[in-house]
Amino acid sequence: MLLLLISINTFVFAQDNFQDVVYLKNGSIIHGMIVEQVPGKSLKIETIDKNVFVFQLEDVEKITKELLVSTTAKEAVEKKRRGFIGLSLGASFPLGKFADENGGKADVGLQFNLVNFGYKITNDVGIAFVWMGASNALKNANSIYGSNNQSTEWTYGCLMVGPLLNLSSNKKVDVNLRAMIGYASTDAPAYNSYYSETVSSTAFNIGLLMRNNLSKDFALNLSMDYYTTSPEFKGGWHTQVINTITIGVGLAYRIK
């Protein structure tokens, strides 16, 4: 008896999730439910919007049963926006020797991501790319170094790429972890030499990115990233480790 009930429920469920599809010889395709059929002569089909059509069988090429695409299924298709591209702005907080008075003397600065890109190749793994620029002024720069007409800011830019891991996602919010490596160019201030210097180095970045989907096309990005690079300066001094934590916000276009 139990098996009979399960079989009946399965059959009803299957019927609810399938629809009749009539393919006509003139190329038209009608979706709905066949409500009447006269063997060898005609059939009557009712569409989802309650329109009723009658066709002669001689005009019909074939009749099939196909999976019904529900509103829920359409929403699931709409959710499959796998990527984003946009820009963001954030506060850059120096850490360790970069902020130390006996080290980099860096103060809180700004970081601007000119390109902030991510794309999920699968549901859980994708690729991230960032093109960014940042600036951290020296602490008390105006009072100590301002009269010397020297550079009083650390400025640096970087191109980075790496894996994007999906930690959590739903229709409104996606949370991703990104770990990137790239090429950095750093301009040192001239407070400890006669001239400033630009040096290239390898940079690393790891951070969390939370994407709030405002609409089907746009998202608000909130991010927190740890950035590090160690340019080796040769203008009379040393290697400077640059470590920062950046908290940013930005707008992105969602990519299908």
Side-chain angles (χ1 to χ4, degrees):
M1 184 66 180
L2 179 60
L3 290 175
L4 178 61
L5 289 174
I6 293 174
S7 299
I8 292 173
N9 287 335
T10 302
F11 176 77
V12 171
F13 178 81
Q15 291 295 315
D16 289 341
N17 285 273
F18 282 81
Q19 61 183 341
D20 296 312
V21 182
V22 177
Y23 291 80
L24 301 177
K25 292 179 180 178
N26 64 8
S28 299
I29 302 174
I30 312 299
H31 299 258
M33 182 176 66
I34 295 176
V35 294
E36 183 181 301
Q37 189 167 357
V38 179
K41 290 188 178 181
S42 64
L43 63 83
K44 182 185 293 184
I45 183 170
E46 182 179 341
T47 63
I48 296 176
D49 54 4
K50 302 303 180 182
N51 291 319
V52 177
F53 299 93
V54 179
F55 301 103
Q56 299 300 311
L57 289 183
E58 63 186 24
D59 298 324
V60 176
E61 181 177 339
K62 66 177 180 177
I63 303 170
T64 64
K65 285 276 189 182
E66 296 181 11
L67 186 64
L68 178 65
V69 181
S70 64
T71 302
T72 302
K74 290 179 181 178
E75 290 176 351
V77 172
E78 177 57 39
K79 279 178 62 179
K80 291 181 181 179
R81 298 218 166 202
R82 293 185 172 273
F84 64 91
I85 185 168
L87 48 81
S88 63
L89 180 68
S92 172
F93 299 91
L95 302 174
K97 291 184 178 180
F98 189 44
D100 193 86
E101 289 290 347
N102 297 317
K105 299 182 174 64
D107 208 344
V108 177
L110 288 176
Q111 178 174 314
F112 184 43
N113 289 356
L114 296 165
V115 177
N116 202 17
F117 172 83
Y119 192 84
K120 291 194 294 182
I121 299 171
T122 69
N123 288 334
D124 297 317
V125 179
I127 187 169
F129 172 80
V130 168
W131 176 25
M132 72 84 164
S135 175
N136 294 84
L138 297 176
K139 293 177 180 177
N140 303 315
N142 291 334
S143 59
I144 299 176
Y145 312 108
S147 61
N148 297 329
N149 294 321
Q150 296 176 322
S151 170
T152 58
E153 290 184 340
W154 291 94
T155 58
Y156 45 97
C158 192
L159 295 172
M160 295 180 288
V161 64
L164 180 77
L165 303 179
N166 185 45
L167 300 182
S168 172
S169 65
N170 56 51
K171 190 176 180 181
K172 291 294 184 183
V173 178
D174 293 281
V175 179
N176 303 135
L177 173 69
R178 57 185 179 183
M180 298 177 289
I181 184 172
Y183 169 84
S185 177
T186 304
D187 288 319
Y191 69 92
N192 201 27
S193 62
Y194 293 106
Y195 58 91
S196 63
E197 187 178 359
T198 301
V199 173
S200 300
S201 58
T202 301
F204 301 91
N205 187 99
I206 185 168
L208 287 173
L209 177 67
M210 183 171 69
R211 226 162 48 252
N212 297 274
N213 300 319
L214 304 176
S215 68
K216 68 177 184 178
D217 293 322
F218 293 99
L220 178 68
N221 285 350
L222 302 175
S223 60
M224 182 171 69
D225 290 279
Y226 171 75
Y227 172 86
T228 182
T229 188
S230 301
E232 183 177 347
F233 295 96
K234 299 176 182 178
W237 43 316
H238 64 298
T239 297
Q240 174 63 59
V241 178
I242 296 175
N243 294 331
T244 63
I245 288 284
T246 299
I247 299 175
V249 60
L251 187 66
Y253 178 76
R254 301 176 64 198
I255 304 170
K256 290 183 180 179

